[in-house]
Amino acid sequence: SLKAYDLKVVDAQSKENLSLFKALLRYLAFLFSAVSILLAFIPFFRKDKKTLQDLVANSVVISTK
């Protein structure tokens, strides 16, 4: 859970909370990525370490500390 590590998922541009549509889109992309093992390794090949769900929903994980 992100809350245990003081992390939060926000919109990459505005740094605001994700809209419901983007959150659902991110969740569906996560399910697709979890089923496809190859897509789960995308962060290891990107400099910014974004996952498939971050790319699809244009989101970013930030620290709340």
Side-chain angles (χ1 to χ4, degrees):
S1 171
L2 295 175
K3 193 168 188 173
Y5 298 103
D6 292 322
L7 298 174
K8 186 177 181 181
V9 178
V10 295
D11 187 82
Q13 293 174 339
S14 67
K15 303 294 190 251
E16 300 281 329
N17 288 333
L18 288 180
S19 66
L20 180 61
F21 175 74
K22 281 193 174 185
L24 288 173
L25 186 63
R26 188 176 192 278
Y27 179 71
L28 291 173
F30 166 74
L31 292 177
F32 184 69
S33 177
V35 171
S36 172
I37 295 174
L38 182 63
L39 293 176
F41 289 101
I42 288 178
F44 296 110
F45 300 107
R46 293 184 52 89
K47 288 183 181 180
D48 59 3
K49 303 294 183 200
K50 283 192 172 189
T51 60
L52 175 70
Q53 57 266 30
D54 290 330
L55 296 171
V56 170
N58 195 25
S59 62
V60 65
V61 179
I62 61 170
S63 175
T64 58
K65 283 188 176 183

